[in-house]
């Protein structure tokens, strides 16, 4: 289980960048909004999820992330049989072209329904995006991408003239630049995991190998 970190650990960093005297009541909303946008923009939160049970003659499976997050995109799916589960071997990696995923209802549809039930026969890797009500993230994610979330929250808080006590065009412009910079760094980090020269490769994680 990953160690958990909370958005409110970033409160001081956000407040440091706001105009003097600003102490917004919606700081939590700013951080959760910034976090959701950052992970949606960058797709850096990839996680192995499961296993789930395969049900005989059932093609559709409603997936859960295990965090207060939505499953934004499916990266890999493995299906196993009972013998493989018992032996502890990886299931067969599926062709994603043959699998449908509807993010609106988190439903994954297999091309063929299994003929027999298999306990723990379905595993997948997904890109996750935290919900707007989320207060927590895996600690390694918050540590790695705190700057992007902080600058996103600062831009959220200083960019609206409807809140004159904290509106600041100069701070908003700076925060927006810094946010875009942090997004760019994160996107390049993800691209580096998949590209060597002009050859697209998979990172060496156990689920894929």
């Amino acid at each position: 289980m990953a160690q958990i970190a909370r958005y409110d650990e970033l409160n001081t960093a956000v407040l440091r960048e706001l105009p003097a005297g600003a102490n917004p009541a919606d700081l939590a909303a700013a951080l959760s909004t910034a976090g959701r946008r950052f992970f949606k923009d960058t797709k850096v939160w990839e996680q192995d999820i499961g296993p789930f049970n395969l049900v005989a003659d059932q093609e559709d499976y409603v997936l859960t992330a295990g965090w207060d997050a939505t499953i934004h995109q499916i990266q890999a799916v493995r299906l196993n049989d009972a013998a493989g589960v018992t032996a502890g071997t990886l299931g067969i990696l599926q062709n994603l072209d043959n699998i449908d995923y509807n993010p609106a209802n988190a439903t994954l549809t297999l091309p063929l329904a299994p003929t027999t039930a298999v306990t723990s026969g379905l595993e997948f890797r997904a890109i996750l995006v935290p919900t707007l009500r989320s207060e927590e993230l895996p600690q390694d994610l918050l540590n790695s991408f705190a700057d992007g979330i902080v600058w996103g929250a600062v831009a959220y808080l200083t960019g609206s003239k409807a809140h004159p006590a904290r509106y600041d065009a100069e701070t908003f412009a700076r925060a927006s630049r810094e946010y875009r910079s942090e997004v760019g760094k994160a996107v390049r980090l993800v691209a580096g995991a998949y590209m060597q020269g002009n050859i697209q490769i998979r990172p060496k994680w156990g689920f894929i190998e």
Side-chain angles (χ1 to χ4, degrees):
M1 177 67 178
Q3 290 183 294
I4 296 172
R6 293 178 56 85
Y7 280 127
D8 59 17
E9 296 174 28
L10 304 179
N11 285 359
T12 300
V14 174
L15 291 171
R16 189 186 305 126
E17 303 298 335
L18 297 182
N23 189 15
D26 53 351
L27 183 55
L31 282 165
S32 63
T33 300
R36 178 169 175 79
R37 177 176 175 181
F38 182 86
F39 289 108
K40 194 170 185 179
D41 286 346
T42 61
K43 300 183 180 180
V44 293
W45 187 357
E46 292 190 18
Q47 187 160 326
D48 298 343
I49 303 175
F52 296 87
N53 296 335
L54 289 172
V55 180
D57 302 319
Q58 179 176 309
E59 296 178 352
D60 295 338
Y61 294 84
V62 177
L63 305 181
T64 55
W67 291 87
D68 196 356
T70 58
I71 298 170
H72 183 64
Q73 183 176 321
I74 300 295
Q75 297 290 85
V77 175
R78 282 191 180 273
L79 299 180
N80 214 337
D81 57 21
V85 172
T86 300
T89 58
L90 289 174
I92 297 173
L93 190 64
Q94 304 298 299
N95 184 345
L96 292 182
D97 290 339
N98 299 327
I99 292 176
D100 292 327
Y101 176 67
N102 183 351
N105 56 15
T107 299
L108 181 143
T109 302
L110 301 176
L112 295 172
T115 56
T116 59
V118 181
T119 301
S120 302
L122 168 64
E123 296 180 279
F124 64 98
R125 166 164 276 218
I127 292 173
L128 303 184
V129 174
T131 69
L132 289 175
R133 63 178 180 273
S134 175
E135 298 178 349
E136 300 173 338
L137 290 173
Q139 189 175 63
D140 59 340
L141 282 179
L142 195 66
N143 289 344
S144 298
F145 304 112
D147 288 347
I149 298 170
V150 166
W151 286 117
V154 172
Y156 174 93
L157 291 167
T158 58
S160 175
K161 293 181 179 180
H163 300 279
R166 62 175 190 256
Y167 171 74
D168 188 293
E170 184 175 346
T171 301
F172 171 74
R174 181 190 174 206
S176 298
R177 288 194 303 271
E178 295 291 345
Y179 174 81
R180 289 193 295 270
S181 175
E182 294 299 323
V183 166
K185 291 177 187 177
V187 169
R188 288 191 294 275
L189 181 65
V190 172
Y194 289 86
M195 300 297 295
Q196 286 184 354
N198 294 323
I199 301 173
Q200 188 172 24
I201 62 170
R202 284 290 189 183
K204 293 183 178 179
W205 50 286
F207 188 81
I208 287 289
E209 295 300 321

